[in-house]
């Protein structure tokens, strides 16, 4: 008696355009991947968006983070990451440019009182954006502790809906993969999402002289119904200043 072999799943859509069944493996969509597909398609199709890019010199920021870890996190085992610093800097920038901390609704534009920042975390089956709440009211140490907890629970699939629903602003960082520059799709209802590239040594020109600096490209994708070009540019300029000339008062609470 011959065992029957179940036919491999195929895509009718691919067959329709001439791709032969059996020439690929079809991985069924799970709930997370289907949700991502639906939300990103809806966002890209329905939200008028535009990108703005700025380059940031981060040598002073890297020195600041090193000193901060030595002086503030010494003995705790905690190491503040560059992404933690960027999250906190975004919260400060949003407080200084509150027009960018906003969402479009059919009833009007919502200006948010706090910076609830969603940080993209890659999982085996997709992407999730857990939210750090009221980052504008928290020190860099608190941001680092909460961020590590959220990322760990996201990868263990232990987030509650409260951990990833809502938010006012998003950050996606692909610098660790060597990506220099990219633009992300808006994560509704957030008015902006910041895409963070790799920090790398690049030639720069200052006062007619060529030098070398560690440079990171930041791209802000904006919902044009909420954030126009001038507001988006002011937010990026404010963020650039916070990152290029870091001050402890901007990263720790008084």
């Amino acid at each position: 008696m011959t065992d029957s072999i179940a036919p491999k799943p195929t895509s009718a859509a691919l067959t329709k355009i001439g791709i032969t069944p059996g020439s690929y493996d079809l991985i069924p969509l799970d709930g997370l991947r289907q949700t991502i597909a639906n939300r990103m398609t809806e966002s890209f199709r329905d939200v008028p968006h535009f990108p703005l890019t700025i380059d940031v010199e981060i040598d002073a920021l890297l020195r600041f983070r090193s000193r901060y870890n030595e002086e503030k996190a010494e003995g705790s085992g905690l190491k503040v990451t560059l992404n933690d610093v960027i999250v906190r800097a975004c919260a400060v920038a949003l407080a200084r440019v509150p027009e960018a901390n906003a969402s479009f609704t059919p009833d009007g534009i919502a200006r948010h009182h706090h910076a609830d920042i969603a940080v993209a975390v890659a999982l085996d089956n997709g992407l999730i954006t857990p939210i750090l709440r009221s980052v504008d009211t928290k020190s860099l140490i608190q941001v680092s502790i909460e961020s590590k907890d959220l990322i760990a629970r996201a990868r263990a699939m232990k987030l509650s809906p409260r951990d990833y629903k809502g938010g006012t602003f998003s950050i996606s960082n692909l610098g660790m993969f060597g990506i220099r520059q990219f633009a992300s799709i808006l994560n509704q209802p957030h008015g902006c999402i910041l895409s963070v590239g790799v920090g790398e040594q690049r030639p720069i020109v200052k006062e007619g002289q060529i030098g070398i600096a560690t440079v990171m490209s930041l791209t802000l994708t904006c919902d044009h119904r909420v954030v126009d070009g001038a507001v988006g540019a002011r937010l990026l300029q404010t963020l650039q200043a916070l990152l290029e000339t870091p001050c402890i008062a901007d990263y720790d609470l008084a």
Side-chain angles (χ1 to χ4, degrees):
M1 183 176 178
T2 304
D3 293 334
S4 61
I5 300 175
K8 289 185 176 182
T10 61
S11 167
L14 293 183
T15 301
K16 186 176 180 180
I17 61 174
I19 296 179
T20 305
S23 67
Y24 56 88
D25 293 323
L26 190 66
I27 302 168
L29 296 172
D30 61 17
L32 177 60
R33 179 56 70 180
Q34 185 66 65
T35 299
I36 292 170
N38 292 342
R39 289 194 65 203
M40 293 298 98
T41 298
E42 180 183 274
S43 179
F44 196 79
R45 179 190 64 220
D46 296 341
V47 179
H49 57 276
F50 65 95
L52 299 169
T53 300
I54 199 166
D55 289 336
V56 178
E57 294 179 28
I58 61 169
D59 290 293
L61 185 69
L62 294 175
R63 292 191 295 269
F64 169 83
R65 183 179 72 96
S66 179
R67 288 196 308 272
Y68 190 93
N69 277 328
E70 290 175 2
E71 296 170 6
K72 298 284 186 176
E74 186 177 4
S76 67
L78 178 71
K79 288 294 183 183
V80 167
T81 68
L82 185 59
N83 205 61
D84 295 332
V85 179
I86 293 169
V87 169
R88 171 61 190 171
C90 283
V92 176
L94 288 168
R96 295 179 183 176
V97 189
E99 307 97 304
N101 194 30
S103 300
F104 178 85
T105 82
D107 307 304
I109 294 174
R111 292 257 180 99
H112 300 289
H113 296 163
H114 293 290
D116 296 336
I117 298 180
V119 179
V121 178
L123 306 177
D124 290 340
N125 60 337
L127 191 73
I128 196 163
T129 51
I131 298 162
L132 291 155
R133 305 279 174 181
S134 299
V135 179
D136 52 300
T137 69
K138 294 172 180 174
S139 70
L140 183 53
I141 286 281
Q142 289 175 290
V143 169
S144 185
I145 291 170
E146 291 185 21
S147 178
K148 287 173 175 59
D149 172 65
L150 278 176
I151 291 170
R153 287 194 289 117
R155 290 174 176 162
M157 304 299 288
K158 292 183 178 179
L159 294 176
S160 69
R162 159 76 180 168
D163 291 323
Y164 56 81
K165 286 190 173 182
T168 71
F169 186 87
S170 304
I171 297 174
S172 180
N173 189 340
L174 292 179
M176 67 285 293
F177 298 108
I179 302 300
R180 173 181 266 205
Q181 182 182 323
F182 67 106
S184 300
I185 297 174
L186 281 162
N187 183 21
Q188 295 187 79
H190 306 173
C192 301
I193 181 169
L194 183 74
S195 306
V196 181
V198 65
E200 60 182 0
Q201 289 199 324
R202 301 183 200 171
I204 60 167
V205 178
K206 284 188 177 181
E207 298 178 356
Q209 299 295 315
I210 296 177
I212 299 292
T214 307
V215 178
M216 178 173 65
S217 294
L218 303 177
T219 298
L220 187 73
T221 302
C222 306
D223 180 345
H224 214 327
R225 300 170 302 177
V226 182
V227 177
D228 62 24
V231 172
R234 282 199 290 119
L235 182 67
L236 276 182
Q237 288 176 333
T238 302
L239 184 58
Q240 181 186 43
L242 287 163
L243 296 175
E244 290 192 338
T245 55
C247 171
I248 191 63
D250 292 327
Y251 292 93
D252 262 354
L253 306 177

